[in-house]
Amino acid sequence: EIDLAIDCHGQFDLPSAITLAKAVEPLRLLWLEEPVPAENVSALAQVKASTSTVICSGENQYTRFEFLELFAARAVDVIMPDLSKAGGMAEAKRIADLADIHYIPIAPHNVSSPLGMMAACHVMASVPNFLLLEFHGLPIPWWNDLCDGDKPFIENGFMAVSERPGIGVELNDSVARSLVWNGDTYFD
């Protein structure tokens, strides 16, 4: 009753990626993400051409020009730019618009704080080809405290676009200062 997406983290060679993509066809995945390393668009296009499995990539592309290359090669069915790596809100909007003219949905990669997540929410609320927003913050105990704003930031799997000025959230400086990196995890 849920969609399943598999992230390969670009760890497969071309023959293995093709074999995997074909093997999972009966599962009708939401997508198979980065089956080959992101820098080889031609290899990704070969994987996509070999299968009916939906192919997703883009968290390691950094500009709209790199996404244009993915579109021109017909290498993806879904893109997932990381908005903080891909130029921020304005560039994300440009990338989403380019994807839309290629009939490609966008599902941003999101390993952000509430600040980055809400910025992504605002951009995605403005584009017609938004599919979903990835999220990784739930197991982090201080994640909800890191920013102030409309809370809860996520409720029943949904994020609401704030109507507050700006993007509706602000960094809580005292919480941010209290976090110390020990080389493995953050502790307060």
Side-chain angles (χ1 to χ4, degrees):
E1 299 204 7
I2 61 168
D3 289 315
L4 178 65
I6 298 174
D7 188 349
C8 299
H9 299 282
Q11 297 298 306
F12 289 91
D13 58 40
L14 182 58
S16 299
I18 290 171
T19 299
L20 174 62
K22 287 181 177 182
V24 299
E25 284 177 346
L27 301 176
R28 298 182 47 83
L29 298 177
L30 181 61
W31 66 62
L32 184 66
E33 182 180 335
E34 288 194 345
V36 293
E39 65 270 7
N40 192 332
V41 174
S42 175
L44 187 62
Q46 290 177 64
V47 174
K48 183 182 172 299
S50 74
T51 185
S52 63
T53 297
V54 173
I55 302 299
C56 178
S57 191
E59 74 181 72
N60 291 304
Q61 270 69 30
Y62 300 103
T63 68
R64 67 191 128 171
F65 304 105
E66 291 179 59
F67 284 93
L68 279 172
E69 185 180 355
L70 287 173
F71 305 149
R74 295 187 171 118
V76 292
D77 297 298
V78 176
I79 60 164
M80 65 169 356
D82 185 307
L83 277 56
S84 61
K85 290 194 269 185
M89 294 174 75
E91 189 69 0
K93 175 75 166 89
R94 290 181 195 104
I95 291 166
D97 289 342
L98 290 170
D100 188 45
I101 63 173
H102 289 89
Y103 309 110
I104 294 175
I106 181 169
H109 180 251
N110 177 43
V111 292
S112 305
S113 70
L115 191 65
M117 180 197 71
M118 194 57 70
C121 285
H122 278 272
V123 174
M124 292 303 105
S126 73
V127 299
N129 54 330
F130 170 60
L131 177 61
L132 59 88
L133 180 63
E134 184 177 26
F135 178 70
H136 291 272
L138 282 177
I140 301 170
W142 45 263
W143 190 88
N144 279 309
D145 300 325
L146 186 59
C147 290
D148 296 321
D150 298 334
K151 292 187 180 180
F153 296 122
I154 300 172
E155 190 167 17
N156 298 321
F158 291 92
M159 300 170 215
V161 177
S162 177
E163 294 182 17
R164 298 176 71 186
I167 59 171
V169 297
E170 293 183 25
L171 184 66
N172 182 320
D173 293 331
S174 63
V175 172
R177 278 191 211 96
S178 74
L179 298 171
V180 177
W181 178 254
N182 75 357
D184 183 36
T185 58
Y186 285 97
F187 293 96
D188 53 356

